[in-house]
Amino acid sequence: GVSAPPKDLYTAPESCEGRCGEPLSEEDACHCHPECERLRSCCGDYDRHCRPGGFSRSRDSITEQELLEISEQLYGLDHNRARPGDITINPQHRAGPDETGQRQDLSPQPLYKHVNEELFSKATYSSFIKLLDNYQRATGREEEVTAEELREQDNFLGEVMKTELMRKLFAFLREKNRYGSEQEFLEDLKGMWFGLYSRGDGEQDSSGFEHVFSGEVKKGKVSGFHNWIRFYLLEKQGIVNYFSHNFDGPWDTFPTVLGLQFSWDGFHKEVGSAFIGSSPEFELGLYTLCFLARPGRACHLSLGGHSLSIQTFPWTKSTYGSGRRFIATAYVMSP
């Protein structure tokens, strides 16, 4: 049978749990490859986890090569992505490094010229869109979660789990002894993405999903908000004003990536990076993969032959289950 996975898979980047034998990388705070002893760069718990008898077997760590392979497979399985012609964007002004903080609207036209809204009738899109209005965007405002909203969360996760993309991700993670059953994976997705924690003064005011996909306002600035569907729907209502972009990905098809400046009801976002034209399950899947494989660190992927990195951070002040971490944020890194 499948051996029980280690209890705490979302460890701080300073730990070797689940990382034994991982290749050395300068970006890592400390290392878990045998070579670290010679370099004197081992993590504090290297002996406990990676010496013979430690439970983190190196074959369960996810290598750089495996990340490139699985991300390329997930990219190929994004059957619900926008097709050429479904979306026309008008990026207009390209901001230099000194312009991103200026809060000026340098693009008179909206970002989205055209979106084929038939996309939104696909099951993963429609169940995703239902979740977007469930949140108070101000941090420090307690989130009241109704029974209907819980049903909407279950419905969304149920729909994404039907996709070939998420089934592939689950199969990969099961192979790596991260999950024993699909039910366990589903429960954990619910915890890491929808579990509530406090970004403010104790109120249960935030979740990974709200932060990443819906967006929040904290100290007068937009925080999170990395989703193209949310952006398009709010821009259409006149609530979001597109200012400029500072990064345009190498793709000439969807999904592509933009780094953008905008204001949301008067609150400014200096650089909000987002996939454009990808399905909700594609984003959820890639962010989840990176959160499990490289929490708190750059996660290097390959998508359609192009390299791209995703940064995730675990929420460190509270946990769920047996010490598992909520997602604090996840986003595409613009180079």
Side-chain angles (χ1 to χ4, degrees):
V2 176
S3 62
K7 280 285 174 270
D8 177 11
L9 294 167
Y10 317 113
T11 38
E14 291 78 43
S15 169
C16 278
E17 194 160 357
R19 290 177 55 204
C20 298
E22 194 180 271
L24 299 174
S25 161
E26 284 178 20
E27 287 164 0
D28 296 344
C30 57
H31 299 124
C32 306
H33 188 277
E35 192 69 351
C36 72
E37 296 186 86
R38 190 177 63 76
L39 297 169
R40 304 211 167 125
S41 63
C42 300
C43 299
D45 59 5
Y46 173 78
D47 286 4
R48 182 158 63 91
H49 288 305
C50 307
R51 294 232 168 252
F55 73 78
S56 285
R57 291 149 306 176
S58 58
R59 68 187 173 84
D60 293 343
S61 76
I62 296 170
T63 66
E64 294 290 294
Q65 187 56 38
E66 285 170 328
L67 274 177
L68 298 177
E69 285 165 13
I70 184 70
S71 55
E72 204 56 86
Q73 289 170 329
L74 297 178
Y75 180 84
L77 290 174
D78 189 8
H79 306 311
N80 286 328
R81 72 174 72 164
R83 302 276 169 239
D86 280 344
I87 302 177
T88 314
I89 56 173
N90 180 16
Q92 300 163 83
H93 185 78
R94 174 116 188 214
D98 52 336
E99 288 180 308
T100 56
Q102 281 183 11
R103 306 182 176 223
Q104 286 176 311
D105 184 357
L106 301 168
S107 305
Q109 303 298 315
L111 174 60
Y112 288 92
K113 263 189 170 163
H114 162 76
V115 171
N116 172 10
E117 292 195 11
E118 279 177 28
L119 266 178
F120 300 162
S121 60
K122 292 175 188 272
T124 57
Y125 285 80
S126 61
S127 58
F128 172 81
I129 289 168
K130 282 201 174 79
L131 289 167
L132 293 173
D133 61 4
N134 289 355
Y135 299 102
Q136 304 254 13
R137 70 174 176 208
T139 55
R141 295 273 294 280
E142 181 97 32
E143 293 297 339
E144 300 292 335
V145 184
T146 65
E148 185 185 358
E149 287 170 1
L150 287 172
R151 274 198 304 277
E152 288 175 353
Q153 292 172 10
D154 288 343
N155 186 31
F156 170 64
L157 291 174
E159 290 299 343
V160 300
M161 283 310 297
K162 289 179 194 167
T163 64
E164 216 181 323
L165 186 155
M166 286 299 279
R167 303 192 78 75
K168 176 77 196 174
L169 175 62
F170 166 66
F172 173 77
L173 293 170
R174 184 173 56 188
E175 230 167 78
K176 288 284 168 194
N177 285 315
R178 299 300 174 105
Y179 298 102
S181 69
E182 197 172 312
Q183 190 50 38
E184 194 187 340
F185 180 47
L186 200 59
E187 285 300 311
D188 204 32
L189 283 174
K190 201 191 294 194
M192 72 174 90
W193 281 106
F194 292 104
L196 291 173
Y197 51 84
S198 171
R199 278 181 200 264
D201 306 316
E203 301 85 354
Q204 299 287 294
D205 61 354
S206 191
S207 68
F209 184 91
E210 172 180 10
H211 180 86
V212 172
F213 293 105
S214 197
E216 301 179 293
V217 170
K218 186 176 183 186
K219 296 186 176 149
K221 280 190 171 165
V222 175
S223 174
F225 199 139
H226 300 285
N227 178 255
W228 75 270
I229 300 167
R230 172 73 160 160
F231 190 100
Y232 164 74
L233 293 171
L234 290 181
E235 185 180 64
K236 190 175 148 184
Q237 292 170 36
I239 298 170
V240 157
N241 180 6
Y242 170 72
F243 284 3
S244 58
H245 69 289
N246 64 312
F247 169 64
D248 191 350
W251 290 268
D252 44 17
T253 172
F254 297 112
T256 184
V257 174
L258 270 189
L260 34 141
Q261 290 68 50
F262 60 91
S263 87
W264 175 16
D265 229 358
F267 298 103
H268 185 242
K269 179 75 180 183
E270 198 165 308
V271 180
S273 56
F275 283 107
I276 294 179
S278 49
S279 67
E281 61 268 27
F282 176 78
E283 290 181 57
L284 189 84
L286 283 194
Y287 291 151
T288 300
L289 169 68
C290 284
F291 184 64
L292 295 172
R294 301 286 185 270
R297 295 175 293 144
C299 172
H300 306 300
L301 309 177
S302 175
L303 303 175
H306 298 288
S307 39
L308 184 83
S309 300
I310 282 175
Q311 177 76 48
T312 63
F313 285 105
W315 185 252
T316 53
K317 295 176 192 162
S318 52
T319 57
Y320 68 92
S322 43
R324 298 187 166 210
R325 303 263 182 220
F326 300 107
I327 290 177
T329 191
Y331 54 87
V332 180
M333 297 170 78
S334 38

